[in-house]
Amino acid sequence: MFLKRVATIFLAAFAFVQAEDSLPEIQFVPLNSLTESLEEETPYGLPRELMPLWDSLTIKQKAAQMVMVYMTPADFMLKNEFGGYLVMKTHLKHLDKFRENIRTVNDSMLIPPLVATDQEGGLVNRIAAIDTKWERTPSAKQMRTMSEDSIQALARDIGAALNEVGINLNLAPVLDPAKDSHGKHSFMEESKRSWGEDTTNASKVRAFVKGMQESNVACVSKHFPGYDSWSNSDHQIAVSSTPKAKIAKNVEFFKTLAGDIPVTMMSSVSFVRISSRPAVFEPKIVKMARDMSPETVILTDDLWGVSLRAWVSGNERVRSKNYPAKDFRKLVRTALMAGNDMFMITYPQKAVEMVNYLAALSKQSKYYQQRIEESAARILKMKYRAGIIK
């Protein structure tokens, strides 16, 4: 038996030697090469091209990337190094001044900002202030009836007008449902802002986004997980009793386009079947947005909005700028811990407080520091892919 086993092993070895010429050549990788490969991994998956920039940033500068502030004079922006500017129609009425402001900021800031405006079309039409030819841009409801080629060409032209004045981020399209949970036309449908009830028009939305991209303007989908309340959540606490199954259906529209749209704006509505918290403050709902695409930048709506401040303070009569400091810190902390990446705020001085508080939190705990860094990294990656960081 022993001799038979030896013979079998010998024959197998002989067969292997005979077949050696037909085997692929084995490449041995030195251990030090494997070590070097591991060392090449970057924090938060940042492109290697961004590492010199990343390594040069303080935690306060990283926190500043998380803030999108209502447009201010260039010197205020340069001093505070915010990650984004929010542009309203009034800013565009003085184009020479606007262009000079943006030019100064882009030429002087270490990291150019996202310059955002709402150019949905129809009722929400910021570029009407740029040129009278844009006074009547089609609404989302009108674009739904157009061909994909026509939508893309229109979006390219509008994007070019935005790009020409320095705007690089469009807070559109609106992916909120056209019908509420009772089958009635939603607020967004009545105002002609919705792109439809389900994913039927996904290819047309994609054409809109692509046209904008061709003019160097990135897009933002909003308002996750689908605004279907009839209350205006900017001015009062808005509640939706939409069943979870309908919420999941509304989310599908966002999910289908997650690979095309790099930024998603959260809703300020409270979806009470999931949580009593406004969606932007609810970790479960923010996680639903995050699960669509790990690289999506999740943006809040205006955190200075009355409804969000009222919810945080528990006082629906919140109106004035004299908002308690402890409540404001709670608001910022709640938005951070929910998982949002970028905080929009229309009160510039509060934006400064926001950055200072985020930086202070980072010193309290490694967990806070990591949260700030992962959001800052996500924003930098988005800017890099969009060509904003060269």
Side-chain angles (χ1 to χ4, degrees):
M1 178 66 71
F2 174 77
L3 290 175
K4 183 181 285 187
R5 285 182 180 175
V6 170
T8 302
I9 293 169
F10 176 80
L11 289 171
F14 179 75
F16 177 83
V17 171
Q18 289 290 95
E20 189 179 24
D21 290 341
S22 63
L23 291 173
E25 183 180 355
I26 299 173
Q27 298 292 330
F28 291 94
V29 180
L31 183 59
N32 62 341
S33 295
L34 289 172
T35 306
E36 288 170 6
S37 177
L38 290 172
E39 288 176 350
E40 286 177 1
E41 292 182 9
T42 61
Y44 309 105
L46 284 159
R48 294 208 64 78
E49 294 85 350
L50 290 181
M51 285 311 301
L53 171 62
W54 179 259
D55 290 339
S56 74
L57 298 176
T58 65
I59 191 65
K60 186 174 180 180
Q61 287 173 311
K62 292 171 183 175
Q65 282 300 299
M66 296 176 63
V67 177
M68 177 179 286
V69 66
Y70 185 81
M71 189 173 181
T72 58
D75 58 350
F76 185 82
M77 188 71 169
L78 295 174
K79 178 181 178 181
N80 293 288
E81 302 182 279
F82 298 119
Y85 249 165
L86 177 63
V87 176
M88 306 301 285
K89 193 172 182 178
T90 51
H91 297 128
L92 297 172
K93 288 181 178 178
H94 309 284
L95 278 180
D96 289 342
K97 182 178 178 181
F98 178 84
R99 285 193 181 96
E100 181 59 29
N101 193 325
I102 296 297
R103 189 181 304 113
T104 301
V105 166
N106 284 335
D107 289 347
S108 304
M109 281 186 75
L110 177 64
I111 305 170
L114 294 171
V115 183
T117 197
D118 300 91
Q119 183 51 47
E120 300 172 14
L123 295 175
V124 185
N125 181 29
R126 306 298 187 220
I127 64 168
I130 295 176
D131 193 310
T132 54
K133 74 176 183 178
W134 298 117
E135 284 181 351
R136 296 183 181 277
T137 56
S139 66
K141 189 172 184 179
Q142 289 172 306
M143 284 189 275
R144 277 158 35 186
T145 66
M146 295 165 55
S147 69
E148 291 172 27
D149 288 344
S150 298
I151 294 169
Q152 187 170 331
L154 175 65
R156 186 190 308 118
D157 290 345
I158 292 173
L162 295 173
N163 181 61
E164 196 275 329
V165 298
I167 293 169
N168 55 33
L169 188 69
N170 187 5
L171 304 177
V174 170
L175 301 187
D176 302 320
K179 293 181 181 178
D180 63 20
S181 58
H182 303 291
K184 296 180 180 179
H185 282 176
S186 66
F187 167 75
M188 290 297 179
E189 177 70 358
E190 289 294 329
S191 57
K192 302 180 180 179
R193 297 172 64 189
S194 171
W195 275 88
E197 171 57 15
D198 49 34
T199 58
T200 303
N201 292 315
S203 61
K204 293 188 175 185
V205 176
R206 196 169 281 119
F208 176 86
V209 172
K210 189 174 180 182
M212 287 285 167
Q213 287 174 339
E214 288 172 349
S215 292
N216 302 312
V217 176
C219 282
V220 178
S221 60
K222 62 184 186 184
H223 307 79
F224 191 91
Y227 190 119
D228 62 358
S229 168
W230 275 88
S231 302
N232 188 331
S233 62
D234 289 335
H235 305 302
Q236 64 188 91
I237 295 174
V239 175
S240 171
S241 59
T242 303
K244 289 183 179 180
K246 180 65 165 69
I247 293 172
K249 181 184 176 184
N250 295 341
V251 165
E252 282 302 310
F253 206 176
F254 290 86
K255 189 174 181 179
T256 299
L257 292 154
D260 303 273
I261 304 175
V263 183
T264 293
M265 181 187 288
M266 295 300 299
S267 169
S268 298
V269 174
S270 297
F271 294 87
V272 293
R273 299 292 181 91
I274 296 178
S275 172
S276 61
R277 294 180 174 220
V280 67
F281 289 153
E282 175 48 57
K284 293 176 188 174
I285 299 179
V286 176
K287 185 178 184 300
M288 290 164 62
R290 170 72 61 232
D291 288 345
M292 297 188 308
S293 172
E295 294 302 312
T296 298
V297 171
I298 298 179
L299 172 69
T300 73
D301 208 335
D302 180 18
L303 290 179
W304 195 247
V306 171
S307 68
L308 295 181
R309 288 191 290 138
W311 184 87
V312 167
S313 66
N315 179 7
E316 291 193 34
R317 295 175 181 250
V318 170
R319 292 286 170 190
S320 72
K321 292 183 177 180
N322 189 23
Y323 189 62
K326 66 179 181 60
D327 288 350
F328 185 69
R329 289 194 295 270
K330 181 181 177 182
L331 181 148
V332 174
R333 193 169 60 250
T334 304
L336 178 70
M337 299 315 297
N340 297 282
D341 295 312
M342 199 166 204
F343 302 170
M344 181 191 294
I345 186 159
T346 53
Y347 188 179
Q349 197 53 48
K350 288 296 179 181
V352 178
E353 291 182 31
M354 188 177 278
V355 172
N356 289 337
Y357 183 56
L358 288 170
L361 284 176
S362 74
K363 294 177 182 177
Q364 290 181 19
S365 160
K366 285 285 186 183
Y367 180 76
Y368 285 131
Q369 180 180 334
Q370 183 176 335
R371 266 295 296 113
I372 291 165
E373 288 192 333
E374 68 183 14
S375 287
R378 204 171 276 123
I379 292 163
L380 291 181
K381 284 187 280 186
M382 180 265 160
K383 288 183 175 182
Y384 180 69
R385 294 189 191 106
I388 295 166
I389 297 177
K390 307 288 186 189

